[in-house]
Amino acid sequence: MAITETPTTTDAPVADTRATPAGYVEPTGLGAVLGSGDHKTVGRLYIGFSLVFGVVAFALTGLSDLQGIGDGGTLLGLSSAFPVFTLGQLSLVLLFAVPLFLGLATAIVPLQVGANTVAFPRAAAAAFWTWLVSGGALLCAYAIDGAIGSGGNAESQQLALAALLGLAVALIIGSVCVVTTVVALRTEGMALDRVPFFSWSMLVAGGLWAMTLGVFGANVLLVLIASKYGTASKYAVPFNQWPQLTWLVAPPAIFSFAIPALGIIADSATTFAGARQPRRGALLFAIGLFGAFSFGAYVQPFFNPGAWHQWIVVGQSALLVLPLLILLGGIATVLRAGSPKLASPLILGVVSLLLLLLAALVAIPFGIQSLQLEAPADSLIAANQALREAATGTPPYLWGILGLVATAIAVAGAAGVYLWAPKLTGRRLGDGIGKLLVLILGGGALLVSVPLFIVGFAPRATGIADSADALFGAAAAGATLVALGVLVIAAPMIATRINVLTGGRTDAPDAWGTGQTLEWLCDSPPATGNFGTLATVTSPEPLLDLADGGDAA
Amino acid sequence: MAATHLPPTEVVVNDAPEAPIARPRVLMVGTAFAVAALLMTFAGLIGIYLSERSATILSGNAWIPDGVVIPLNQPNVMLFALLSSSITIQWAVDAVRRDDRQQAYLALGITVVFGLAVVNMAAYLYSVMGLDMSVASITPVLIYTITGLHVVVLLGAIVFVGLMAFRALGGQYTSRQYDGLSAAALFWHAQVIVFVGIWYAIYITK
């Protein structure tokens, strides 16, 4: 047989490497969660908390948009507008997008590559707890007048900066654990070009995140040292602090946080098409290309004014469309080759890809200087001091791009959670709710971004300024809708997990019946140690080989 | 039949040396990615330093504040010590590869001493530079952030090497398995490379 002689159930001999030492008692209750180095537990914790933070992040984004209405001081007051804005933007990336994918990867990547655990399991657990504590510290610091760049309480601001540093370090360590798993812990026969799409995308993303967040950490460290010891330097001036960090939430860097979405999309398509992916190498290449074009740590307008308009950055943004089109073509090919089931992960995946394509397309004109899309839209917000402050370093057009990419990530995250729910919780989630999510998140994505793209053109079209209140109101409604959608991702997952833990039924290993990769070979949910001894893998679709009854390697 | 299910065959006895253990170099790979993040952090900081220095000089202002002298003697000695330590850490790896444990302990010890000497020299350099953080200039902030972070990384590298030295003392590393020591050496070399960048960008070009 072509893949693995390992056996889905009982009929073939398997050396069970999952046996625990004599006298070992599996921890239960809170101890099993707090002290666990098991990659599934750590992954679930990442996903659960990132979704909770995601609701907060999109709610803050909605509040920021509401600030754009009227004179900007009516809702939160002028002093709160800027903190809400910056916390919303930072949370979308550091508390929601990256940890959501990192959680999925920590739980699923070892299963996909046939490993018994994630590399450095204790480091992965430590990274999660560091991330959680740092995230909590960031929220606390903001709550006690410590918003970065607001000129509030100096010690609270230093706490916020230290928390950002902690977040960057934790996410780098988490990424290194996942990437090392893909590189060094693959089962026998699984060459890199046979790695499932999601694992491949995490290899690309994790490497890029480690480097991007390293540079971000350097920026944060500089602001922290300046605000503590070099208070007379320009770096310590409150109004200069946020612009030093904005590159992280702007193109092209923002697209690097969406790389794993491509892997989820491709894995969903092949799983539900029930066919082998034709020209698989082209899709792997496309994901790698997307990673290369989304590297943006060098595009820092604070230190290099005009960086967004340099030809290399504009070209890079334009080229981002290319790998997305290749991926779209690849998915269309596999869906035509098979007989696709219209399950919610597939639909969510396709919607996510279309949203990313839209985001990549609208990012191109942002670099064209003559369009003035980076202007803070003073003509629009002449009376709105809060918005003008918020816009410093982050023009409204960029809010739209960030909102669209973050929502595409939420949609891809939902696809991943629904696809791998049997491994995360023990059984599939309701497909109807998954399809409802398509409407909620898809609609939210357009509402949260398109009005802000229109607002971005306000410096060139005075008529737009007249409709500004309505546009900002629509964007706020979109952000609220997405926050609701993120809540809808989390609720069934948590409920199902609790149900399974309290004795509810679990699914078969290959819960969808069309799985192709190794994660569908282990139990739902996987036991400690994941697999027995796997035989040699001889193709990217081991389960199809098994079904075909091919020979062993 | 799959490679993992091979049946036991007859035992062949010969005098050939034991083959190295076929195992994934997990710690080495993980360290390589951590080193990539570290190098990017310093690339970001040194990039900002050079960019700000260039802008300041082009605008007709002095980059180093008046009255501040950054001597070259100490940085040169630090560079020499770190380059030497790169040789000694590689000597340690080679010694373990040859199962020569006495030389390995000696080489690891010398490496740590070189590292501590550089930390000491950095502290002395700070005291003689007289670079005041309270002046209204970004130069002291950048210099202290970059060089201070390097000292922190160097201390981390010393702890890493020390830990691996204790493991070597405990007999964990032999010619068949010395990944931990190779990983520590990789991290050490990386911080030496970082210092070469700092030496040129900050101490030479000033």
Side-chain angles (χ1 to χ4, degrees):
Chain A
M1 84 188 141
I3 63 148
T4 115
E5 289 191 350
T6 319
T8 51
T9 50
T10 54
D11 52 287
V14 179
D16 191 353
T17 56
R18 294 177 294 181
T20 50
Y24 174 78
V25 180
E26 191 83 36
T28 54
L30 201 58
V33 175
L34 296 179
S36 178
D38 179 54
H39 69 96
K40 281 94 61 183
T41 305
V42 174
R44 283 183 206 113
L45 288 170
Y46 259 127
I47 295 168
F49 279 100
S50 66
L51 290 175
V52 171
F53 282 135
V55 174
V56 175
F58 279 107
L60 289 171
T61 305
L63 283 176
S64 285
D65 294 336
L66 278 182
Q67 281 297 119
I69 298 174
D71 65 3
T74 51
L75 182 69
L76 299 171
L78 291 176
S79 61
S80 300
F82 187 67
V84 166
F85 171 75
T86 56
L87 184 60
Q89 299 238 319
L90 289 170
S91 302
L92 281 179
V93 173
L94 298 174
L95 297 182
F96 171 64
V98 178
L100 175 61
F101 284 144
L102 210 49
L104 275 169
T106 305
I108 301 301
V109 164
L111 304 177
Q112 287 199 322
V113 300
N116 290 330
T117 178
V118 71
F120 315 118
R122 280 172 291 186
F128 165 74
W129 291 109
T130 306
W131 168 77
L132 188 62
V133 170
S134 300
L138 182 68
L139 297 179
C140 289
Y142 264 75
I144 53 173
D145 198 18
I148 293 162
S150 69
N153 182 287
E155 287 180 348
S156 303
Q157 282 184 9
Q158 286 156 17
L159 175 63
L161 289 164
L164 277 185
L165 209 52
L167 287 172
V169 170
L171 295 173
I172 288 172
I173 294 172
S175 302
V176 167
C177 293
V178 170
V179 167
T180 305
T181 306
V182 180
V183 173
L185 293 185
R186 299 189 309 276
T187 193
E188 198 175 342
M190 185 176 281
L192 263 183
D193 61 348
R194 290 178 182 164
V195 161
F197 290 115
F198 179 56
S199 294
W200 172 260
S201 69
M202 278 309 302
L203 175 62
V204 175
L208 205 59
W209 292 350
M211 294 193 286
T212 302
L213 291 173
V215 177
F216 179 71
N219 289 115
V220 173
L221 185 67
L222 204 56
V223 180
L224 177 59
I225 299 284
S227 63
K228 191 161 177 64
Y229 301 107
T231 47
S233 73
K234 73 172 182 183
Y235 297 150
V237 176
F239 223 61
N240 281 339
Q241 291 180 0
W242 172 245
Q244 290 179 66
L245 310 178
T246 49
W247 64 268
L248 190 77
V249 294
I254 186 64
F255 286 100
S256 69
F257 303 115
I259 297 168
L262 308 187
I264 294 173
I265 294 160
D267 270 347
S268 297
T270 50
T271 299
F272 294 106
R276 293 177 197 266
Q277 175 68 53
R279 295 185 182 83
R280 194 170 183 279
L283 268 66
L284 295 178
F285 179 72
I287 293 172
L289 206 59
F290 189 83
F293 291 147
S294 63
F295 178 70
Y298 71 98
V299 187
Q300 300 198 16
F302 180 79
F303 298 104
N304 180 15
W308 279 324
H309 307 304
Q310 288 175 342
W311 67 267
I312 189 168
V313 179
V314 178
Q316 193 177 333
S317 291
L319 287 170
L320 267 172
V321 175
L322 182 68
L324 294 173
L325 289 175
I326 296 174
L327 200 71
L328 196 60
I331 289 172
T333 312
V334 76
L335 292 179
R336 280 186 59 188
S339 40
K341 284 195 287 193
L342 283 182
S344 55
L346 175 61
I347 304 171
L348 284 163
V350 171
V351 170
S352 171
L353 181 58
L354 294 175
L355 291 176
L356 278 176
L357 194 57
L358 177 63
L361 285 169
V362 296
I364 299 171
F366 179 71
I368 300 170
Q369 194 161 12
S370 58
L371 292 177
Q372 300 175 30
L373 294 175
E374 67 165 320
D378 275 344
S379 61
L380 169 71
I381 52 173
N384 188 336
Q385 180 60 25
L387 191 62
R388 187 182 296 121
E389 287 183 11
T392 304
T394 317
Y397 196 85
L398 273 189
W399 310 4
I401 295 177
L402 173 64
L404 188 55
V405 174
T407 311
I409 288 170
V411 179
V417 166
Y418 272 74
L419 175 64
W420 289 302
K423 306 302 162 192
L424 297 170
T425 67
R427 69 166 187 262
R428 286 159 47 177
L429 308 180
D431 206 45
I433 299 177
K435 286 171 181 164
L436 182 66
L437 269 174
V438 176
L439 295 177
I440 297 175
L441 291 174
L446 296 178
L447 272 177
V448 82
S449 58
V450 174
L452 294 176
F453 296 145
I454 298 170
V455 169
F457 282 94
R460 292 180 60 83
T462 48
I464 292 174
D466 301 335
S467 315
D469 284 0
L471 291 168
F472 276 115
T480 309
L481 203 56
V482 179
L484 177 71
V486 174
L487 196 63
V488 174
I489 303 171
M493 182 188 148
I494 294 168
T496 307
R497 181 65 188 152
I498 291 172
N499 180 269
V500 167
L501 284 174
T502 52
R505 68 172 176 82
T506 56
D507 281 344
D510 185 3
W512 296 101
T514 50
Q516 301 185 0
T517 43
L518 288 179
E519 73 268 30
W520 303 110
L521 205 58
C522 61
D523 298 337
S524 298
T528 305
N530 303 337
F531 298 98
T533 302
L534 291 171
T536 304
V537 168
T538 59
S539 88
E541 300 91 6
L543 266 69
L544 293 186
D545 296 340
L546 192 65
D548 292 346
D551 293 331
Chain B
M1 172 172 277
T4 47
H5 289 177
L6 288 174
T9 54
E10 68 273 19
V11 178
V12 178
V13 179
N14 60 31
D15 294 331
E18 266 186 301
I21 297 173
R23 60 189 299 279
R25 308 187 74 188
V26 178
L27 189 55
M28 194 67 180
V29 172
T31 306
F33 280 104
V35 160
L38 182 76
L39 292 178
M40 283 303 292
T41 303
F42 278 100
L45 282 171
I46 293 175
I48 290 171
Y49 179 90
L50 294 175
S51 154
E52 294 283 34
R53 176 181 170 278
S54 169
T56 305
I57 291 172
L58 281 175
S59 65
N61 295 315
W63 175 241
I64 303 292
D66 287 343
V68 174
V69 176
I70 300 179
L72 202 51
N73 294 347
Q74 290 80 8
N76 284 346
V77 172
M78 290 159 76
L79 179 69
F80 181 74
L82 284 175
L83 290 175
S84 303
S85 71
S86 255
I87 297 170
T88 57
I89 190 90
Q90 209 51 45
W91 171 22
V93 174
D94 185 61
V96 168
R97 196 183 288 150
R98 289 183 286 104
D99 279 328
D100 187 343
R101 300 177 66 164
Q102 277 199 336
Q103 282 208 24
Y105 301 150
L106 180 64
L108 287 169
I110 293 172
T111 305
V112 170
V113 169
F114 272 134
L116 291 173
V118 170
V119 173
N120 179 53
M121 188 63 82
Y124 177 67
L125 180 61
Y126 287 159
S127 71
V128 297
M129 273 197 311
L131 198 57
D132 187 3
M133 287 278 273
S134 63
V135 297
S137 164
I138 53 174
T139 309
V141 175
L142 278 165
I143 289 180
Y144 280 121
T145 302
I146 296 170
T147 58
L149 184 60
H150 175 260
V151 170
V152 171
V153 171
L154 175 57
L155 288 170
I158 290 171
V159 171
F160 195 177
V161 169
L163 195 65
M164 293 305 121
F166 278 117
R167 286 188 167 191
L169 278 169
Q172 282 193 19
Y173 296 131
T174 65
S175 59
R176 299 182 68 222
Q177 210 290 84
Y178 50 90
D179 268 5
L181 215 52
S182 299
L186 177 64
F187 193 76
W188 192 274
H189 292 317
Q191 63 82 19
V192 173
I193 290 169
V194 164
F195 187 79
V196 172
I198 291 173
W199 176 77
Y200 183 74
I202 294 181
Y203 297 124
I204 295 293
T205 64
K206 293 190 176 65

